Amino acid sequence: MVNQLKPILLRLISQEQTRFVKGRQIKNDIVVAQEAIHSLKNSKTKGMLIKLDLAKAYDRINWGYLQKILKAFSFDERWIS
């Protein structure tokens, strides 16, 4: 199943997703954060950065939502079930 899914994963997973994708590293997040801080400091507009802890995001899965997403991406019913 994994080998069949590999070719389409990069179309489904956004560029901003750095974890759980081969070839992407968490250190890229550090670079993005530093660039955002630098841009905010040099900008003449007010702004704010917020860090969210999403560690628990993977603890629960809303199966109904996941099934709808897979259907929206035209996954076969066999994959979904």
Side-chain angles (χ1 to χ4, degrees):
M1 284 177 68
V2 172
N3 288 333
Q4 292 175 337
L5 194 55
K6 276 183 183 180
I8 63 168
L9 281 180
L10 294 179
R11 287 185 286 148
L12 298 176
I13 301 172
S14 71
Q15 291 294 323
E16 291 79 18
Q17 174 69 35
T18 56
R19 287 161 206 74
F20 312 113
V21 178
K22 187 176 182 177
R24 298 185 192 173
Q25 300 177 357
I26 193 169
K27 64 183 178 182
N28 295 342
D29 290 345
I30 297 168
V31 173
V32 170
Q34 288 175 332
E35 289 175 355
I37 292 167
H38 177 75
S39 177
L40 193 56
K41 282 184 177 180
N42 291 331
S43 173
K44 294 185 180 187
T45 59
K46 293 181 180 183
M48 174 177 36
L49 297 175
I50 300 172
K51 182 208 174 281
L52 301 174
D53 183 5
L54 299 175
K56 302 241 183 229
Y58 299 104
D59 290 348
R60 293 182 216 109
I61 295 176
N62 182 326
W63 291 104
Y65 175 77
L66 182 57
Q67 289 173 336
K68 288 177 185 176
I69 292 296
L70 293 175
K71 285 179 184 176
F73 279 102
S74 301
F75 276 76
D76 190 273
E77 286 294 327
R78 291 176 293 173
W79 276 92
I80 296 172
S81 63

